[in-house]
Structure formats: structure tokens, C-alpha cells
Amino acid sequence: MFPLQDEDALEYMSGGAGYVLSREAVRRLQDTNVKECHVPGLTSYEDVNMGACMKALGVTAGDTRDSLGRPRFLPYPPWVLLDPSLQYQSKYSWLQRLSKYQFNFGAEYLSDQAVSFHEVREPLHYYLLQYLINEVRLSPAAWPSLQTSFPSHHDQPIPLRTHHP
């Protein structure tokens, strides 16, 4: 979530990772005249304009972070976000400068409840994400530092699932 620098009352979601709208927000958007959502001269960025439109329709932005305050709609793929050294590179400084909430790079700041990643463009990267999300099963015994994050019903290690041709 990003507050617009010039108008502290306007908050907008970064559009690259997608939007989740309530049924009521979709109804308001569907029932409105597009002119009601157009704010002349605001910007050419669809996410800022979407924020202005939602504000005009009386829709407020919600906090989509997980219970640990980590973002779930992410502006980069996980293989970028996992690198803590990027925290200090100027290419990524816009995240710290513009985000309403503090943004950090590194595994401990990447939510295990991520909803979407932006900048995933290569077909192979989609297959990689699909594999990591749907096929890989971690064994808590293999990752002692992660054991506290597993629910209590996972007392027994979950073996890695293997496929045989």
C-alpha cells in the first residue's frame, strides 16, 4: 500500500501484483460511470488511478499483510525478494521510500501466505513457482529453524514427495 505523496488522503495498492476487491467494491465499480473514476492529470499509472477511483466510490483500502506484518502482494518474484543485499541497492529504494509499511528483503520478511508476485514473466518461472507451491513438501525435521512456524498438527516430519516416471 502506498500513500500518494501529494495527497495524503489517497492510498493505493501497487497494481503489478494484482488486486482483490470485495463484492461491494466490484458492484460499485460496475455501476459507476467511468468518468467518475477518471481524475484528470493525476497520473498515467493505473494503480494510482485505481486508488483514486476506489476513493471516489467510497471504497477504502485494507491491510493485506499477514499476521507478522509481511506483505502478501509482492512487487517482485521470490527469487529477488529473498536476497537481503537488495535492501540497500538504489534500484529497489523506491519500496522503502513509497511503501506505507516498512519493506524489507530477505527470507524472514517473505510471507508464507503470499498471494501474488509481480514481474514473473518467463514461462519457466511460472513452472518453477507452480512446482514450489504445489509439489515441494518440506520436512520440519530438515529445517529446525522453521519448526516453530509449523502448526502443532505437524508433529511428524512431512517427507518430500517424489515422482517416479
Side-chain angles (χ1 to χ4, degrees):
M1 182 181 304
F2 301 101
L4 191 61
Q5 299 290 333
D6 299 337
E7 289 185 41
D8 58 329
L10 176 61
E11 293 182 338
Y12 66 96
M13 301 295 181
S14 174
Y19 301 106
V20 173
L21 298 174
S22 68
R23 182 180 306 225
E24 178 61 19
V26 172
R27 187 196 61 74
R28 290 181 191 186
L29 185 60
Q30 184 178 8
D31 291 348
T32 190
N33 181 340
V34 175
K35 291 179 185 177
E36 293 175 44
C37 283
H38 183 69
V39 182
L42 187 59
T43 76
S44 61
Y45 299 108
E46 54 74 30
D47 50 4
V48 176
N49 293 335
M50 182 70 159
C53 180
M54 292 293 105
K55 180 182 177 192
L57 296 176
V59 176
T60 57
D63 184 350
T64 59
R65 296 175 300 157
D66 69 14
S67 63
L68 297 176
R70 301 172 300 185
R72 290 191 269 195
F73 290 82
L74 296 150
Y76 293 103
W79 46 88
V80 172
L81 298 167
L82 287 168
D83 184 353
S85 72
L86 298 181
Q87 184 80 25
Y88 308 104
Q89 291 188 14
S90 60
K91 177 181 178 180
Y92 301 100
S93 66
W94 69 272
L95 280 168
Q96 288 83 13
R97 192 175 63 254
L98 297 177
S99 183
K100 178 177 181 176
Y101 306 107
Q102 183 173 347
F103 193 94
N104 295 298
F105 288 82
E108 64 272 24
Y109 302 108
L110 193 56
S111 177
D112 59 350
Q113 299 171 348
V115 174
S116 93
F117 298 98
H118 189 31
E119 307 234 350
V120 177
R121 295 189 171 103
E122 298 295 323
L124 181 60
H125 292 163
Y126 285 99
Y127 288 116
L128 174 63
L129 284 174
Q130 187 277 333
Y131 170 75
L132 293 172
I133 292 167
N134 297 311
E135 302 299 330
V136 172
R137 301 289 179 252
L138 293 178
S139 170
W143 297 89
S145 64
L146 296 178
Q147 284 188 9
T148 58
S149 67
F150 284 92
S152 60
H153 66 276
H154 285 291
D155 292 331
Q156 299 299 316
I158 302 169
L160 290 175
R161 185 166 46 171
T162 58
H163 295 277
H164 300 285

